[in-house]
Amino acid sequence: MDTLPQLEIILCAPRGFCAGVDRAIQIVELALEKYGAPVYVRHEIVHNKYVVDGLKAKGAVFVEELDEIPDTEAPVVFSAHGVPKSVPLDASARKMFFLDATCPLVSKVHVEAERHHAAGHEIVLIGHKGHPEVVGTMGQLPQGAISLVETVADAEAFEPRDPANLAFVTQTTLSVDDTAEIVGVLQRRFPQVTGPHKEDICYATTNRQEAVKQVAPEVDAMIVVGAPNSSNSMRLVEVAERSGCAKSALVQRASEIDWSLFSGIKRLGITAGASAPEALVDEIIDAFAAHYKISVSSRVTARENIAFNVPKALRVPAS
């Protein structure tokens, strides 16, 4: 007799890999196919240990800085988060062959920052201090050209050199709601502030947060599959909690599930950050299937069909 308790699982969609992450992983894999191992990668290509370990097994070597790489003709890949301008300059000076896996939507923010700087604007970057994307964006311009604002309190306290000559850009993986609040403060305090032509927070971050907002009020618990150093994954946990799901947990692998958190639940929401592969979602569903009699459905709140080209050096010529 089947004595397992019933559990309804609702999968948020979209979830998991975005186009920028997909492209970055492809760049490393195609480089390994074309040039053989090793392929050096500066910083985790995307913030997911499972992905990084899989690429290591194929011959990728991960470093934090270029000076850890010996003199080599092997390719060097820059991660999806983007790098300061000094990094490709350093790589060129060392005659390295490098491939830039920066997400095109991060590159868009870099270009915006440069345009604002060229127009003489003082720039505010809304983002998280120390995150590689923020380090990369601030590193596009001379030191002091960009001021970092992390919170509403920072925005209230910020004193520009010239309030009439201010522009802002944002990290691509922030909480949509938090960012809107910070932007609101800047616009109230500095009505002439210039914003991006198009939202800097990327489509994938926005879509994944929107899906969680819709599912979270209906479930007893929410699992976000992702890594603690993944900004967009951490934001999904916060969004779930704010949207009415008090039991919201970040889980990297099924082995990490704290089963005491999920005792007595009837409905579970599952999503995945933009750098988490679907294989890990499947692994977590399988783990719950061992404890519950599960039924699984999807809640689709948006369709994504965006894809980004890999660099020319890696493209297969048309036959």
Side-chain angles (χ1 to χ4, degrees):
M1 185 177 152
D2 195 351
T3 56
L4 291 177
Q6 300 272 353
L7 178 67
E8 184 185 347
I9 294 177
I10 302 175
L11 298 175
C12 299
R15 65 180 174 278
F17 280 1
C18 61
V21 163
D22 208 32
R23 172 180 179 268
I25 295 166
Q26 268 190 66
I27 287 171
V28 179
E29 290 178 336
L30 289 170
L32 284 162
E33 277 175 36
K34 184 167 182 177
Y35 305 107
V39 167
Y40 291 93
V41 185
R42 184 189 176 278
H43 190 67
E44 289 188 347
I45 187 71
V46 296
H47 285 154
N48 188 275
K49 186 178 184 305
Y50 177 87
V51 171
V52 168
D53 287 348
L55 293 172
K56 278 181 183 171
K58 293 177 181 177
V61 176
F62 289 85
V63 299
E64 281 305 307
E65 297 298 343
L66 296 184
D67 57 17
E68 297 169 51
I69 301 172
D71 286 336
T72 180
E73 292 181 0
V76 178
V77 180
F78 302 151
S79 81
H81 312 97
V83 293
K85 272 224 166 106
S86 57
V87 174
L89 287 172
D90 184 18
S92 296
R94 288 186 54 190
K95 298 191 168 38
M96 288 176 159
F97 168 46
F98 61 85
L99 298 161
D100 190 353
T102 301
C103 172
L105 299 177
V106 173
S107 298
K108 165 187 163 286
V109 177
H110 292 181
V111 170
E112 275 173 3
E114 290 186 286
R115 280 191 189 137
H116 287 313
H117 185 63
H121 293 309
E122 182 179 354
I123 301 163
V124 169
L125 169 61
I126 301 169
H128 297 293
K129 187 177 182 179
H131 188 279
E133 185 187 324
V134 164
V135 172
T137 299
M138 294 185 82
Q140 299 306 302
L141 297 175
Q143 205 160 358
I146 299 180
S147 300
L148 184 65
V149 164
E150 295 192 78
T151 62
V152 164
D154 289 348
E156 291 285 8
F158 176 67
E159 293 299 339
R161 292 186 291 274
D162 177 4
N165 199 19
L166 195 61
F168 73 86
V169 294
T170 85
Q171 188 179 331
T172 62
T173 54
L174 299 176
S175 156
V176 173
D177 296 338
D178 285 354
T179 306
E181 219 176 320
I182 293 168
V183 169
V185 171
L186 292 174
Q187 289 172 332
R188 170 174 55 75
R189 293 189 64 217
F190 314 111
Q192 289 165 281
V193 68
T194 304
H197 293 301
K198 188 174 183 296
E199 183 80 75
D200 283 340
I201 295 175
C202 82
Y203 77 94
T205 298
T206 304
N207 287 348
R208 278 148 192 70
Q209 289 181 19
E210 187 54 42
V212 166
K213 281 179 189 175
Q214 294 207 20
V215 172
E218 301 175 18
V219 294
D220 305 316
M222 176 76 77
I223 283 181
V224 177
V225 184
N229 61 340
S230 162
S231 173
N232 74 83
S233 300
M234 295 302 289
R235 302 297 77 77
L236 290 173
V237 178
E238 294 168 2
V239 167
E241 287 169 347
R242 285 184 195 167
S243 303
C245 184
K247 285 186 182 178
S248 298
L250 184 80
V251 176
Q252 293 195 77
R253 300 294 302 267
S255 56
E256 286 183 11
I257 296 170
D258 175 0
W259 292 104
S260 65
L261 188 65
F262 301 102
S263 63
I265 64 168
K266 300 277 190 288
R267 300 183 97 194
L268 172 69
I270 299 179
T271 188
S275 43
E278 190 64 11
L280 298 186
V281 174
D282 294 340
E283 180 184 283
I284 281 162
I285 293 170
D286 289 346
F288 274 89
H291 290 75
Y292 293 89
K293 188 176 182 188
I294 65 169
S295 64
V296 182
S297 62
S298 278
R299 178 72 54 83
V300 182
T301 54
R303 303 273 178 195
E304 293 178 352
N305 54 7
I306 292 172
F308 297 130
N309 281 331
V310 297
K312 280 196 179 113
L314 296 175
R315 288 181 209 162
V316 178
S319 50

